[in-house]
Amino acid sequence: MSAFVVDPQLIDWILLLVALEALGVLGLRMLWRRGPPPAGFLCNLLAGAALLFALRGALAGASGLVIGASLAVAFLAHLADLALRWEPRKTQSTIGKVTASAQARPKAAPSAPTRGSRVRA
């Protein structure tokens, strides 16, 4: 059983599942017009796939350059995912915006009731 866990071919199968997941989710998004935003979703999957590729390289005895490059790709994809998820800073509160717009538009004077309209006291 331990030989199966350290077999690089297992990582190949997992990478194939990650690719199928990407195709499936993006296909369903096109079909149903809803789902996760594609850019963030793909950055997240790319980061995970690059980590799996680094693991595969380590298990197969690849050079340190290949492992380091795949870890660098994982890091960059992770940073891109964070940048897409990061919420912008709010510079002004909602209350300030309402107050500023209320001050810009003075209130209209109440209109007098017209003939035929009912005014309840």
Side-chain angles (χ1 to χ4, degrees):
M1 180 68 184
S2 64
F4 180 71
V5 173
V6 295
D7 186 14
Q9 287 185 347
L10 175 66
I11 307 302
D12 293 339
W13 286 105
I14 295 171
L15 285 168
L16 178 66
L17 288 175
V18 169
L20 290 175
E21 177 187 4
L23 292 174
V25 169
L26 293 176
L28 289 175
R29 180 177 169 78
M30 288 177 60
L31 190 65
W32 293 341
R33 304 276 186 232
R34 58 185 189 150
F41 174 71
L42 290 176
C43 285
N44 193 343
L45 277 183
L46 178 62
L51 288 174
L52 285 168
F53 193 75
L55 175 62
R56 187 197 186 291
L59 291 175
S63 70
L65 183 63
V66 171
I67 295 170
S70 60
L71 289 174
V73 169
F75 178 67
L76 292 174
H78 176 65
L79 287 180
D81 182 33
L82 280 177
L84 289 170
R85 293 176 191 242
W86 204 271
E87 293 181 7
R89 177 191 283 188
K90 296 184 180 184
T91 57
Q92 190 178 19
S93 69
T94 306
I95 294 171
K97 288 180 184 177
V98 171
T99 304
S101 64
Q103 290 175 354
R105 286 182 280 129
K107 286 187 175 181
S111 60
T114 58
R115 184 176 179 164
S117 66
R118 296 183 180 181
V119 178
R120 296 184 183 188

